[in-house]
Amino acid sequence: GAVVSQHPSWVICKSGTSVKIECRSLDFQATTMFWYRQFPKQSLMLMATSNEGSKATYEQGVEKDKFLINHASLTLSTLTVTSAHPEDSSFYICSARDRAGYGYTFGSGTRLTVV
Amino acid sequence: GDSVTQMEGPVTLSEEACLTINCTYTATGYPSLFWYVQYPGEGLQLLLKATKADDKGSNKGFEATYRKETTSFHLEKGSVQVSDSAVYFCALSERGYQKVTFGTGTKLQVIP
């Protein structure tokens, strides 16, 4: 079945640095990629939606200058957390919709800890 | 807007007990309904889905029936195992839209 590979699975970084998270669709072309953030003991909150070759659409309250999303190809989308702060520590998960639109496949998630 | 409400956890059951996790939804159209499972330290995996009223989704012994009259999609399993311990998310997606709306998740712990 469809697989989305997400890397890294966990990362620890210092305050003020930037972190890039990658999601790759391995055996299908992802026309749309979704980026979610999950706080402890809470549900997934959609941060942004990106379509290949166009700008991402951010949900209300999400800072687009802080969470940079790039979807340059049908198999790769990246989320860069810029100038990270401890409050950015969270679990980030990507999800891709396949070209036929049949379903959503999730990456394994990235645990970001900012110290 | 769309919303999903599911029972709060954690739910603790003994092995081989019956499981029901309630889920109700609010949607403007005719959504597709999903249950996702998240094992410790992992991402979400689709467990089952149903795309129209009265459809029953099933997988790994879990079942859920799309009930339009009660706007519900309760997850059931007749005999849980320790390996079923995870967080379960009910979710919906409106037709023609790309966004998936998730419930808050229900943690299930199965003890031997």
Side-chain angles (χ1 to χ4, degrees):
Chain A
V3 176
V4 171
S5 175
Q6 183 172 347
H7 293 282
S9 54
W10 61 271
V11 57
I12 302 173
C13 70
K14 292 184 178 179
S15 287
T17 61
S18 295
V19 175
K20 180 184 283 188
I21 302 170
E22 289 190 351
C23 275
R24 292 180 184 273
S25 56
L26 297 186
D27 50 3
F28 68 102
Q29 293 181 323
T31 55
T32 304
M33 194 76 80
F34 305 90
W35 287 94
Y36 293 86
R37 180 175 181 177
Q38 184 182 30
F39 292 97
K41 299 183 181 181
Q42 295 188 30
S43 187
L44 284 76
M45 302 300 295
L46 180 64
M47 299 174 65
T49 302
S50 70
N51 294 299
E52 182 261 336
S54 62
K55 289 184 178 180
T57 302
Y58 290 81
E59 296 296 302
Q60 193 172 7
V62 178
E63 299 176 62
K64 57 184 176 184
D65 293 332
K66 181 169 188 61
F67 299 99
L68 301 179
I69 291 172
N70 185 281
H71 194 163
S73 76
L74 283 170
T75 59
L76 175 64
S77 178
T78 61
L79 166 67
T80 301
V81 182
T82 62
S83 187
H85 291 285
E87 58 265 28
D88 298 325
S89 299
S90 192
F91 193 59
Y92 294 87
I93 305 177
C94 64
S95 173
R97 183 162 187 165
D98 62 55
R99 198 173 183 88
Y102 289 132
Y104 305 88
T105 301
F106 285 82
S108 54
T110 298
R111 172 75 60 192
L112 170 63
T113 302
V114 184
V115 297
Chain B
D2 296 344
S3 66
V4 176
T5 302
Q6 60 183 106
M7 61 189 290
E8 289 189 24
V11 174
T12 302
L13 295 174
S14 297
E15 206 166 20
E16 298 184 3
C18 293
L19 168 72
T20 299
I21 300 178
N22 291 334
C23 171
T24 57
Y25 67 90
T26 302
T28 52
Y30 299 93
S32 295
L33 302 175
F34 310 87
W35 276 100
Y36 285 88
V37 57
Q38 184 180 31
Y39 297 103
E42 299 183 17
L44 271 69
Q45 300 174 28
L46 178 63
L47 180 60
L48 54 84
K49 67 178 181 181
T51 57
K52 61 183 189 295
D54 299 326
D55 267 3
K56 177 185 284 187
S58 61
N59 186 25
K60 299 181 181 179
F62 291 89
E63 292 183 339
T65 301
Y66 190 143
R67 300 286 187 200
K68 190 169 184 292
E69 63 276 13
T70 55
T71 61
S72 65
F73 193 55
H74 305 322
L75 182 68
E76 298 176 326
K77 186 174 186 182
S79 176
V80 294
Q81 306 300 313
V82 173
S83 57
D84 294 326
S85 299
V87 180
Y88 292 82
F89 292 92
C90 186
L92 69 82
S93 176
E94 292 266 24
R95 283 202 194 120
Y97 292 89
Q98 304 186 83
K99 182 177 177 178
V100 179
T101 301
F102 289 88
T104 52
T106 302
K107 184 175 182 179
L108 170 66
Q109 184 175 11
V110 181
I111 54 178

